[in-house]
Amino acid sequence: MSEQTTEDTAREPKAADDVIDAIIDDAPQADGDEREASDNGEAIGNNEEGTPGGEPATTPSNDADRDPPDRGARHKRRIVALIAAGSPVPLSFARLVEALRSAGGEVTPLSVPRKKPRIADADRPPRLSDLKAGLTNLAESLWTVATGEDEGRQKEHWLISQLRAVQGQVDAVVTTDPNVAAQVFPSVDAVWPRAVRVGVDADYTIDPEWRQVPFDDLVVTHPSLGTDLQRVRDKSGRLRTGGPIVGGDSVEAKRLSDDKPQVVASFASMPAADVDGLLFQLSLARPERFQLLFMPSGRAGIDELVRTRAGGYGLRGKRPKAGNSTEGWIRGASVVVGRPSPGEAAAAVQAGVPMLIFASDHLNSGETFLKDHGVVEHSEVPLTISVQLESLLPGGHRREAVEAALEELETPGVSSAAQAILDAADEGRPAPQRSAAPRSAEPASPHDDELEDIGAEAPASMSPTSMSRDLRKAYLSEIILHEKKVKRQLLRAKEGHITWTNRARLAANAGDDDLARKAIERVDGLERIVSRLNQQTAELKGLRDRFAGREQVTEADRHAAARFMSPDVAATLDRAGALDPAAFTKLELNEALKNLKDKLRGS
């Protein structure tokens, strides 16, 4: 998940700034700071850098000494929402806190420093107060050693002291920031041993930092996302579905004109080298037919490049000023083109807006997911952008299929993410996983250490297994080949689904109910095939990444890849490990030549 970049507008029940103010008890405000609605929507800006939560309590207590809560009885769940201190409050975090409170949760925001606070700054000479503090600590340490008091006691970690500032029982600890989660979640047990640690990913791009987080639950936007995470695979962590965390229907759709379709060009994730290619292709797509809106990328260099180059290609358009709402413009668009941020892409999907992603390099995980589900078109080279853009505009031949795919992809919004967190708090932490008991009561053989199981059931163990480099490479090659085969099948199935959906529509319009029923049966069958192939594609991708990585593969991975072992693969491995006669022939020839030269020299 990347930080949300879209903003909410005045049609929301609460403006974005009001939502943020509601979760900050004592946020410092500049004198005379007034927020005014601009022509482009209410300004959010980065002028609020207050710390969520109130002043630390002077008499902290926690649930470590309390009786376990009765999970069967429903009560108002107490949730601590973590955020990094010293940073502006992300709008996704503010929306999640508001949704949790609306769903009946009691939320306490808590800001966490990114590192231990230091008494003195290494870049300046120590002040008198720093020297006094150091002398005081030294005197306390000497007194402890001299008197033997508190011998062996270690000072409590500063992060645990920060968490103890929250009083009372806590049912769940939540954050949308994987870096904060990686820092805080390992210390939660020391303060709230029964609290569920919940991570929330707000969009369709799973942040790789979640791999390092000891979460109990991770809320993702789709059931197929996050399945390759180690904690999910070994069942020490659970996946829950909710989101994406965007404004949704509460955000008013904005348009530059009602006479022409609106094309939103996004450069948020685009390399500078691709900007000219996109601008040139937009100039070939007959821009006089649509209104062009350039989105701010959040990168000064890219924004300046777009501003200076667009006019040279004959392009004219608008761009929201810094700090203004952007989600409303996406909701009012006919097409989003370029390389949108994960937050912009989530807003477009939730609003049902087709996207054309221009990426000359590899797609990220979120873009790949959206492409596999048919909700975005992908252009690898600039040459095809103008043609693909025309096909997605109203009346284009690809628009209907993409809109149908967008309708199939469920996007319940932030309320579902809040409900997933409350469900996790109700269920408590996942039960510790234990190895399965043996299927039979047969006595163990004294030679078991020398034997390998053949034909056994799929192992549940996630422990590493030894595998030679050649064998791993052979498995990887077969997995890649099979993945390509499944993708070709998926493409044909999707094309067939589009064809038979159109035939069913034609038959229904013609009044031929019998023909329409037969076509619908084919559509239903193809939908099941597409769903199964999508699942296979996700599984193969995860398997490929693990075999291609540097870490050892597990027994479960090896068993999953076993179906790709064929006689041809085995023969290839045998040839790779066999001795090459040609190598010996070369050595023999070299020796014969050497002997001949020696003989000629002697004569």
Side-chain angles (χ1 to χ4, degrees), residues 40 45 114 124 227 257 259 346 350 363 444 505:
N40 289 331
R114 296 184 182 275
R124 62 168 174 80
T227 55
S257 171
D259 300 331
Q350 208 279 337
L363 297 176
R505 179 181 60 82

Side-chain angles (χ1 to χ4, degrees), residues 54-278:
E55 294 294 332
T58 57
T59 57
S61 62
N62 55 68
D63 70 342
D65 300 324
R66 292 175 175 265
D67 295 331
D70 182 6
R71 295 288 177 183
R74 294 284 297 186
H75 68 275
K76 197 168 187 177
R77 293 301 178 191
R78 180 82 182 284
I79 299 169
V80 172
L82 302 173
I83 189 173
S87 301
V89 177
L91 190 53
S92 58
F93 178 86
R95 284 171 172 158
L96 182 62
V97 169
E98 184 67 16
L100 283 168
R101 288 173 172 167
S102 298
E106 180 183 343
V107 185
T108 302
L110 178 66
S111 63
V112 181
R114 296 184 182 275
K115 59 183 179 180
K116 180 179 179 179
R118 297 192 303 177
I119 296 176
D121 192 339
D123 296 333
R124 62 168 174 80
R127 300 191 181 106
L128 181 60
S129 59
D130 301 331
L131 295 175
K132 287 182 178 180
L135 290 172
T136 301
N137 292 334
L138 177 60
E140 290 177 352
S141 300
L142 292 173
W143 177 259
T144 300
V145 173
T147 60
E149 295 180 1
D150 297 330
E151 185 174 357
R153 188 188 70 177
Q154 294 183 351
K155 185 176 289 186
E156 187 173 67
H157 193 274
W158 65 271
L159 185 55
I160 295 176
S161 300
Q162 291 276 334
L163 299 181
R164 290 194 189 279
V166 179
Q167 297 184 23
Q169 171 188 323
V170 171
D171 298 299
V173 180
V174 180
T175 184
T176 59
D177 188 335
N179 295 311
V180 171
Q183 180 185 15
V184 178
F185 280 8
S187 301
V188 168
D189 281 347
V191 186
W192 310 300
R194 289 179 294 276
V196 183
R197 300 164 297 182
V198 186
V200 182
D201 201 275
D203 47 56
Y204 295 97
T205 303
I206 301 295
D207 200 312
E209 275 75 17
W210 288 116
R211 298 182 183 277
Q212 312 301 324
V213 176
F215 60 81
D216 298 312
D217 289 84
L218 181 64
V219 181
V220 296
T221 54
H222 192 272
S224 65
L225 295 173
T227 55
D228 61 334
L229 296 175
Q230 183 65 40
R231 289 187 66 83
V232 177
R233 291 165 56 203
D234 62 18
K235 294 183 172 57
S236 59
R238 301 171 297 206
L239 286 179
R240 297 182 183 273
T241 305
I245 303 181
V246 295
D249 294 336
S250 62
V251 178
E252 180 184 8
K254 296 182 177 182
R255 297 179 179 85
L256 295 172
S257 171
D258 293 331
D259 300 331
K260 298 179 180 180
Q262 180 168 289
V263 173
V264 168
S266 174
F267 304 86
S269 303
M270 182 175 293
D274 289 343
V275 170
D276 278 304
L278 176 59

Side-chain angles (χ1 to χ4, degrees), residues 355-586:
M355 286 181 284
L356 171 59
I357 293 179
F358 168 44
S360 57
D361 53 359
H362 296 293
L363 297 176
N364 63 38
S365 60
E367 293 166 340
T368 301
F369 169 83
L370 296 176
K371 178 185 176 183
D372 290 343
H373 283 74
V375 300
V376 303
E377 296 284 293
H378 176 214
S379 175
E380 297 184 17
V381 294
L383 187 63
T384 62
I385 293 176
S386 59
V387 176
Q388 288 179 282
L389 176 59
E390 291 184 8
S391 71
L392 291 177
L393 287 169
H397 70 277
R398 287 290 300 152
R399 185 175 182 85
E400 184 177 349
V402 175
E403 287 180 333
L406 285 165
E407 290 181 3
E408 293 178 4
L409 190 62
E410 296 183 2
T411 55
V414 64
S415 59
S416 63
Q419 188 58 53
I421 295 170
L422 295 176
D423 290 343
D426 286 339
E427 292 184 23
R429 291 193 176 185
Q433 295 299 309
R434 299 177 180 176
S435 57
R439 295 178 59 186
S440 63
E442 297 179 3
S445 168
H447 307 292
D448 273 353
D449 290 342
E450 305 174 13
L451 302 175
E452 178 184 6
D453 290 332
I454 301 296
E457 63 179 3
S461 172
M462 304 304 295
S463 58
T465 182
S466 60
M467 182 180 292
S468 68
R469 181 180 178 182
D470 289 338
L471 181 59
R472 184 167 180 163
K473 186 176 180 181
Y475 270 122
L476 178 60
S477 299
E478 292 302 309
I479 291 170
I480 292 173
L481 289 174
H482 194 73
E483 184 182 19
K484 292 181 178 179
K485 178 182 177 182
V486 171
K487 284 184 176 180
R488 290 194 296 269
Q489 293 174 344
L490 179 60
L491 180 61
R492 291 198 299 269
K494 288 181 176 179
E495 292 174 348
H497 182 269
I498 293 172
T499 299
W500 282 99
T501 300
N502 187 51
R503 290 175 177 175
R505 179 181 60 82
L506 293 174
N509 291 340
D512 193 332
D513 295 338
D514 185 55
L515 194 60
R517 179 180 53 80
K518 293 179 180 179
I520 291 174
E521 290 176 356
R522 295 292 297 272
V523 171
D524 292 341
L526 286 167
E527 284 180 351
R528 290 192 292 270
I529 292 173
V530 168
S531 177
R532 185 170 67 249
L533 291 175
N534 274 326
Q535 183 178 2
Q536 290 182 14
T537 301
E539 293 174 355
L540 286 168
K541 181 181 181 300
L543 201 60
R544 180 199 67 197
D545 292 343
R546 294 192 290 274
F547 269 83
R550 295 183 178 180
E551 298 180 359
Q552 285 186 300
V553 296
T554 64
E555 294 179 10
D557 289 335
R558 185 171 185 175
H559 188 275
R563 63 182 183 272
F564 306 120
M565 177 58 68
S566 64
D568 292 338
V569 177
T572 301
L573 287 171
D574 289 341
R575 286 195 297 271
L579 297 177
D580 187 1
F584 290 100
T585 302
K586 182 178 180 181

Side-chain angles (χ1 to χ4, degrees), residues 15 17 32-45 47 323-324:
D17 281 333
D33 179 21
E34 298 180 357
R35 302 176 183 86
E36 298 179 356
S38 68
D39 293 338
N40 289 331
E42 183 169 290
I44 301 298
N47 58 339
N324 285 308

